[in-house]
């Protein structure tokens, strides 16, 4: 069972990483890092870190989850799900 879940997760992450939304989220994460945690600035305070991570990080996690569920719901994924080697009929 764990092997099936790992295979499915690897398929979804690989498909997501090489898609347009995956590229946009990766560029967004890079911009997020450069704006809020610039390499040249001093170490951020704990309150700032918690505020930025809680507000923006939660929102971005929600959007990535929605994108992954949309990718998993596409009809092109169904043959992959049905042909898993360890599927019990």
């Amino acid at each position: 069972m764990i092997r099936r879940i790992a295979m499915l997760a690897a398929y979804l992450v690989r498909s997501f990483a090489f898609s347009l939304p995956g590229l946009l989220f990766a560029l967004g994460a890079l911009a997020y890092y450069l704006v809020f945690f610039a390499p040249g600035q001093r170490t951020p305070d704990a309150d700032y870190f918690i505020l930025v991570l809680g507000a923006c990080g939660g929102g971005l996690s929600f959007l990535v989850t929605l994108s992954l569920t949309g990718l998993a719901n596409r009809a092109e994924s169904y043959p992959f799900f049905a042909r898993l080697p360890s599927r019990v009929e």
Side-chain angles (χ1 to χ4, degrees):
M1 183 67 152
I2 296 295
R3 192 170 136 205
R4 287 176 38 184
I5 293 171
M7 183 182 295
L8 178 60
Y11 170 74
L12 288 175
V13 168
R14 183 180 47 87
S15 298
F16 183 67
F18 294 112
S19 66
L20 182 61
L23 176 67
L24 293 177
F25 280 122
L27 292 175
L30 181 63
Y32 174 81
Y33 169 73
L34 291 175
V35 169
F36 291 114
F37 303 104
Q41 76 180 17
R42 62 182 177 80
T43 304
D45 297 329
D47 296 333
Y48 175 78
F49 184 75
I50 291 170
L51 177 69
V52 169
L53 196 61
C56 297
L60 284 175
S61 297
F62 180 70
L63 290 175
V64 167
T65 302
L66 285 179
S67 298
L68 275 172
T69 55
L71 180 67
N73 200 26
R74 288 186 187 164
E76 67 189 25
S77 303
Y78 298 155
F80 176 79
F81 298 149
R83 292 185 181 140
L84 288 174
S86 59
R87 184 176 171 97
V88 178
E89 296 296 331

